[in-house]
Structures are given as structure tokens and as C-alpha cells.
């Protein structure tokens, strides 16, 4: 009986020591080491890929989209992102809220989805047909009327950015050529030349737009 109790005690003590050692190594030392290496080698990514404005104020992350609204409607002086911003309901995330990420998971022939896309397309055509520049429904790219799988994508296609150029130029009292150049300057190519598609980060583009508009 005494031997049994003693063996049990030794096993429990050995298990407790292993727990304490592994807790210190895996729960304290390893996270500190990884965090330290990340801060030294990749400080920007480690801190959330923050984007700062000209004054140095953090205004967002290059990884997360955000809304550009005037009240509850799109503020048309800015380039607009994919429709997680209230332009359409075709996302489970209607305000780019980080607590909610995901797609609607509706099929392509779902009646609600078809209605949302049609409404979003009509809004894009109406909002961006300005100064004799007419947007045809066939000109509207898919990312202008559908949300991304996560509902948080900060990028739009160069085609969607280009479609908004005339409207943004008019609202900010800039020339089309000036705004066109902004889009070209903020278009990222495919990763390594073949992965993904060309894309435009909307927040970075709008920051450059604000700087340009303030200089006029």
C-alpha cells in the first residue's frame, strides 16, 4: 500500500514538473522569442501592417478594408471598396467589422443574390456616370458588385478603380489624368509576376487622393 502511494506520488510530481517546464517553455519563452524575432525582422507585419497618413496617424491596416460613407451612404468623393460597405447586402459583413468575416454562401442562381447584384450594379452605373462619361452595365466588373469571401478584402481590381476615376475627379476638382495616374501608381502587380491578379489597395489610394486634393 505504501509502495503504491509512493509510486503514485512520484508519477504525479513528475507530471507536475513536466507541466511547469512545458508551460514556461511553450507558454512564455517560445512566444517571447517569436514575438522578439518578428519585431526585429518584420516590425510592420508584426504590428498589423498599419497604414499611416501624412501626419503619422494610424488610419488603418493594409490587410483590412474599411468603409467610406457619408451618413449611411457611400461618400462619392472617395474610391469605394467592394460592397461590404452597404452598397449591397451580398455579404454577411455589411460594414467591414473585424468581428464578422465570411461570405453569404449563396448559390449563383439564388434570387436574393441576383437581386443584390443587380441593385449594386445599378448603383455603380448611376454613381459613376458623370460629366458625359457613361458607364454601361457590361463595364461593371464582378468585384464592384460582389463581396470577397472574407468580406474584409481591402483591394479592388484596376478595372473597378478605373471605372470610378471620372466621378472621383469631379468630386475632388481634379483632372481625370491626375486621378488616372494615382490609380496607375497604386496598382500592385501579380505576386512574383504570376500569383493572383493586379489589385489596388483602396485605403492607400484614398490617402494619396486626399494628399493630392489638399495640394490643389
Amino acid at each position: 500500500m505504501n509502495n503504491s502511494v509512493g509510486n503514485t506520488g512520484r508519477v504525479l510530481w513528475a507530471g507536475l514538473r513536466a507541466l511547469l517546464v512545458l508551460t514556461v517553455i511553450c507558454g512564455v519563452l517560445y512566444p517571447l522569442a517569436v514575438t522578439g524575432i518578428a519585431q526585429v525582422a518584420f516590425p510592420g507585419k508584426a504590428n498589423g501592417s498599419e497604414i499611416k497618413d501624412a501626419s503619422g496617424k494610424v488610419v488603418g491596416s493594409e490587410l483590412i478594408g474599411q468603409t467610406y460613407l457619408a451618413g449611411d451612404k457611400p461618400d462619392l468623393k472617395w474610391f469605394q471598396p467592394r460592397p461590404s460597405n452597404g452598397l449591397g447586402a451580398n455579404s454577411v459583413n455589411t460594414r467591414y467589422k473585424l468581428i464578422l468575416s465570411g461570405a453569404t454562401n449563396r448559390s449563383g442562381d439564388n434570387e436574393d443574390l441576383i437581386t443584390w447584384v443587380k441593385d449594386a450594379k445599378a448603383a455603380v452605373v448611376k454613381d459613376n456616370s458623370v460629366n458625359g462619361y457613361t458607364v454601361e452595365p457590361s463595364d461593371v466588373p464582378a468585384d464592384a458588385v460582389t463581396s470577397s469571401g472574407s468580406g474584409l478584402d481591402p483591394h479592388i481590381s484596376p478595372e473597378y478603380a478605373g471605372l470610378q476615376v471620372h466621378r472621383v475627379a469631379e468630386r475632388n476638382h481634379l483632372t481625370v489624368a491626375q486621378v488616372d495616374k494615382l490609380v496607375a501608381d497604386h496598382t500592385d502587380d501579380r505576386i512574383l509576376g504570376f500569383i493572383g491578379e493586379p489589385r489596388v489597395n483602396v485605403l492607400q489610394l484614398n490617402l494619396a487622393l486626399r494628399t493630392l486634393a489638399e495640394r490643389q
Side-chain angles (χ1 to χ4, degrees):
M1 183 66 178
N2 289 337
N3 286 340
S4 177
V5 172
N7 289 336
T8 300
R10 283 193 295 272
V11 170
L12 290 175
W13 175 235
L16 180 60
R17 283 182 295 173
L19 174 63
L20 292 174
V21 170
L22 290 174
T23 297
V24 172
I25 293 175
C26 299
V28 179
L29 298 180
Y30 177 73
L32 286 176
V34 172
T35 300
I37 292 171
Q39 288 293 336
V40 172
F42 311 102
K45 289 182 171 57
N47 291 320
S49 301
E50 297 172 337
I51 294 179
K52 299 180 179 179
D53 62 15
S55 67
K57 178 183 177 182
V58 175
V59 293
S61 168
E62 64 177 294
L63 304 177
I64 304 295
Q66 56 182 267
T67 57
Y68 304 88
L69 303 175
D72 60 351
K73 295 182 179 180
D75 188 343
L76 299 180
K77 70 180 292 187
W78 304 110
F79 284 94
Q80 293 296 314
R82 299 185 68 157
S84 279
N85 65 343
L87 283 176
N90 54 348
S91 172
V92 296
N93 186 357
T94 59
R95 284 291 185 274
Y96 282 106
K97 292 184 177 180
L98 302 184
I99 197 171
L100 181 62
S101 172
T104 59
N105 292 326
R106 296 176 186 266
S107 64
D109 60 354
N110 180 271
E111 291 185 4
D112 288 338
L113 180 61
I114 292 172
T115 298
W116 296 338
V117 169
K118 286 182 177 178
D119 290 345
K121 180 176 286 190
V124 170
V125 169
K126 177 183 176 182
D127 290 343
N128 292 284
S129 295
V130 296
N131 282 340
Y133 174 76
T134 303
V135 176
E136 300 294 340
S138 58
D139 297 331
V140 179
D143 62 303
V145 296
T146 57
S147 64
S148 63
S150 67
L152 299 173
D153 193 345
H155 297 98
I156 58 176
S157 66
E159 291 75 20
Y160 185 28
L163 185 147
Q164 301 182 63
V165 164
H166 285 74
R167 183 251 301 160
V168 170
E170 179 191 49
R171 295 285 177 133
N172 290 277
H173 309 291
L174 299 169
T175 67
V176 170
Q178 286 176 305
V179 181
D180 245 337
K181 185 176 186 304
L182 278 184
V183 172
D185 291 344
H186 289 82
T187 299
D188 297 322
D189 202 356
R190 293 178 174 86
I191 300 172
L192 300 179
F194 67 94
I195 299 175
E197 296 293 332
R199 60 208 180 280
V200 180
N201 187 290
V202 181
L203 175 55
Q204 292 176 331
L205 179 59
N206 278 334
L207 285 176
L209 171 64
R210 184 172 72 178
T211 299
L212 178 62
E214 287 174 349
R215 289 175 180 171
Q216 298 302 304

